[in-house]
Amino acid sequence: MYTLSEFKWGTGETGEAGGIVNWSFATSPGDGFVFADFITQEAFRTNIRDAFQAWENVANIDFVEVADGADTQIRLGWDDMDGPSGVTGEASFGGSKTTSSLFTMTSAEVRFDQSENWITTFDGAAGEIGFFQVAVHEIGHAIGLDHTNDPDTIMYDRNLDHLTGLGAGDIEGVQIHYGASIPPAGTDGDDVFAARFGDDVVDGLAGSDTLNLSGDQSQYTLTLTADALVVTDRQTGRDGSDTLVNMERLDFQTGTDPDFNIDTFDSIATLAPADLSQIVELYIAYFDRAPDALGLAFWGNAYADGLSLNAMAALFIDQAETRATYPEGMSNAEIATAVYNNVLGRVPDADGFNFWVGVLDEGAVGRDVFILSVLEGAKADIPDGSSAEFAAQVQADRQYLADKSDIGTYFAVTKGMSDTDDARQAMALFDGSQSSIEAAVSATDGHYAAALDANSGDFLMPLVGVLDDPFAA
């Protein structure tokens, strides 16, 4: 639901673009409002910039921040209003009308009550007022939207703290006034794009290009494919789902890695299935857990760029997780026993044990690549003339390793999860039986359901087009 006023920027005709509208933080009293103080605090300024961007993301109107002065069309500042818990903000505007259907706005002012108990984040306690929500609301008035009686819109005339952005009614209304926003176009230089409401294709062309996103990294899913990347905002009514072409960086507002370098990860989508499977197996064998999507993509990218499996194994052996699984000071016999148990799920047979301990004792294979050698040995062709018992054991070993690899693939590739504690917990459920596979899959599904939560979930990075879902019906 929406309600429109008779005022808008641009031509004064419904559905036509609003053009460029300059705005500024007031540094002097206004024409209609006193502006008892000026907005100098950076957190509040950021909220206001984000509020303008929220409207620009969905409507065909361009807001440009300028220094306060003669070129300003919308000015914003603090004021003394009616004290705490009263009117939190107010907008005023003026315009003219000749032959147009609506009044064309020529100026607007927005003031905020400086006595309110403001908060600039979305985790306010009782009695705190979300500044961002009020800023979006008042700017909505300054571009021609009136109050609604719909509590799911930012233009609702009562409490807005349950909202994190525009509602469907807000978007519908502003697009009727101005039309939908125009997708950004790239250049041959270094471009910075702002994510908009809705689903777009954003092509950065040449240069080093960045897409600015509106939320915390944990609220997004980045899907990797060989042809393009798709970043999806799991918060409804905000950034939508954007297909990225020739994009090098993602800039989240906050998060574990808010300045996210796509180039570190995107080449994994070009790997052959067998190559990616080997890296999944390497993770399982060295770290005794499912891979994490971010780590797997990093090492997959390195492999695509020329890093060999032997070199990767040598780097894995020095990781803290590997040292925890295979502590320093273990004898060659203890190493061989531990690797058999982790990789193949059993104690070593006498012949295999003697062979691998001998290889280690002679120095034919160093400990850095020993685990990789066991992996490769488990998948080697069965020698001609081998006994039926030996062949059966090899097949059982291969199946055990394949099942562990499927669990790891499901966790990191299909679901795109990166929580290493969850990865370890899911893999720990596997003991070689079908019921343990089902338990690991069920645990992974539970972790995934929690990770999808738009407010308390995790950043997800699934990979599509290299390894299929091993447990798809």
Side-chain angles (χ1 to χ4, degrees), residues 22-39:
N22 295 331
W23 68 272
S24 67
F25 296 106
T27 57
S28 63
D31 294 328
F33 297 145
V34 174
F35 291 146
D37 202 355
F38 308 129
I39 301 174

Side-chain angles (χ1 to χ4, degrees), residues 55-272:
W55 290 112
E56 185 176 318
N57 284 348
V58 300
N60 193 2
I61 185 170
D62 296 317
F63 296 109
V64 178
E65 181 181 354
V66 298
D68 196 41
D71 293 333
T72 300
Q73 293 163 289
I74 302 177
R75 306 176 72 227
L76 305 95
W78 295 119
D79 221 338
D80 293 320
M81 296 174 65
D82 60 354
S85 303
V87 177
T88 56
E90 185 179 6
S92 69
F93 45 84
S96 62
K97 180 178 180 181
T98 53
T99 61
S100 60
S101 303
L102 303 174
F103 288 90
T104 297
M105 287 183 170
T106 55
S107 65
E109 293 178 345
V110 176
R111 64 174 179 167
F112 304 96
D113 192 342
Q114 61 183 345
S115 65
E116 296 292 349
N117 187 19
W118 295 110
I119 186 170
T120 56
T121 60
F122 292 114
D123 54 357
E128 294 179 318
I129 307 296
F131 186 78
F132 171 76
Q133 292 94 322
V134 175
V136 177
H137 178 97
E138 297 303 337
I139 292 170
H141 286 315
I143 61 175
L145 279 76
D146 278 344
H147 284 140
T148 75
N149 59 6
D150 180 356
D152 292 326
T153 62
I154 204 72
M155 298 311 297
Y156 186 52
D157 62 356
R158 295 178 182 84
N159 180 41
L160 304 172
D161 286 348
H162 62 291
L163 301 174
T164 58
L166 302 179
D170 303 309
I171 295 165
E172 184 180 2
V174 76
Q175 289 184 346
I176 286 175
H177 240 9
Y178 297 102
S181 59
I182 306 299
T187 71
D188 289 338
D190 297 343
D191 301 314
V192 177
F193 303 92
R196 315 169 319 133
F197 175 82
D199 302 342
D200 296 316
V201 176
V202 186
D203 188 346
L205 300 180
S208 180
D209 305 306
T210 301
L211 178 67
N212 287 334
L213 296 149
S214 304
D216 186 270
Q217 185 179 9
S218 65
Q219 298 168 334
Y220 291 81
T221 297
L222 177 64
T223 303
L224 308 179
T225 75
D227 298 324
L229 310 179
V230 179
V231 60
T232 301
D233 185 356
R234 300 197 302 271
Q235 286 273 358
T236 58
R238 197 169 58 181
D239 291 346
S241 184
D242 297 329
T243 299
L244 311 179
V245 182
N246 298 314
M247 192 67 57
E248 285 71 40
R249 306 189 75 83
L250 298 177
D251 188 4
F252 300 97
Q253 294 299 310
T254 52
T256 304
D257 186 13
D259 187 15
F260 190 81
N261 187 354
I262 296 172
D263 283 345
T264 307
F265 304 100
D266 58 355
S267 293
I268 188 175
T270 66
L271 292 182

